[in-house]
Amino acid sequence: MTATRVAVLALFASVLAAGAVLQWVARREGSDVPTLGAVCAAVLAYEVRRVPVGRLGLLGFWWWIGWHFFAR
């Protein structure tokens, strides 16, 4: 395995670990940090003049992820 691949895998693992820690902090009693579910609900509920901008943004994000990581 090359050093670049190891660095990328370590970066992904650290992002995943940071997300897990953030979710754990959000679920503690009395925490002001929103959970991942609350953030997703707020994004999906966002509309501008009855246009679901949050849903379109999420669709665009997933398209970008798929294009850059899975379409090779």
Side-chain angles (χ1 to χ4, degrees):
M1 223 185 304
T2 64
T4 304
R5 184 174 176 92
V6 171
V8 168
L9 290 174
L11 179 67
F12 277 118
S14 63
V15 167
L16 217 75
V21 168
L22 188 62
Q23 184 69 7
W24 176 73
V25 168
R27 293 202 172 264
R28 288 183 18 209
E29 190 173 333
S31 176
D32 290 333
V33 179
T35 61
L36 182 61
V39 171
C40 287
V43 167
L44 290 176
Y46 185 70
E47 291 183 349
V48 175
R49 295 186 186 182
R50 299 189 43 96
V51 175
V53 177
R55 291 176 191 260
L56 293 173
L58 187 64
L59 177 68
F61 173 72
W62 279 116
W63 175 81
W64 183 85
I65 290 290
W67 185 263
H68 284 85
F69 293 111
F70 301 124
R72 291 183 183 232

